[in-house]
Amino acid sequence: MSAGGGDPLDGFDTTIHAPHRLRICALLEGAGEAEFALVQNQLGLSASALSKHVTVLMDAGYVEQRKAVRDTRQRVWLRLTRQGRTAYQGHLTALRAIVEPSDPAP
């Protein structure tokens, strides 16, 4: 741990780290907002499995959903919250710190 408290591993987030939740965050980071069915299709998950992962992310304050009727059916759109985007970026920084070699000693 660095003296200044700037340890990049501080951003490691076990909520995001679960593989499907990490993929959900990555997809939403790139898309901004995505319909539940699109996320389900892209990740190859059942609706119930995706719903469980989204609930965990929502409970953490990382994802929010918007419901609306479209084509006479209720649709759900997902997006990262500001807190979720910050947590996701911090987690990526922590992962990079783990996998990238540190600067060699002179």
Side-chain angles (χ1 to χ4, degrees), residues 54-92:
V54 167
T55 297
V56 170
L57 291 167
M58 288 177 61
D59 288 348
Y62 294 168
V63 169
E64 61 187 16
Q65 65 182 10
R66 175 176 63 89
K67 296 180 180 183
V69 175
R70 182 172 148 204
D71 300 329
T72 69
R73 293 184 52 204
Q74 181 163 317
R75 308 289 179 144
V76 176
W77 284 269
L78 305 170
R79 71 182 195 120
L80 286 177
T81 62
R82 180 173 296 166
Q83 178 184 354
R85 194 170 307 278
T86 299
Y88 174 67
Q89 291 299 324
H91 188 69
L92 291 181

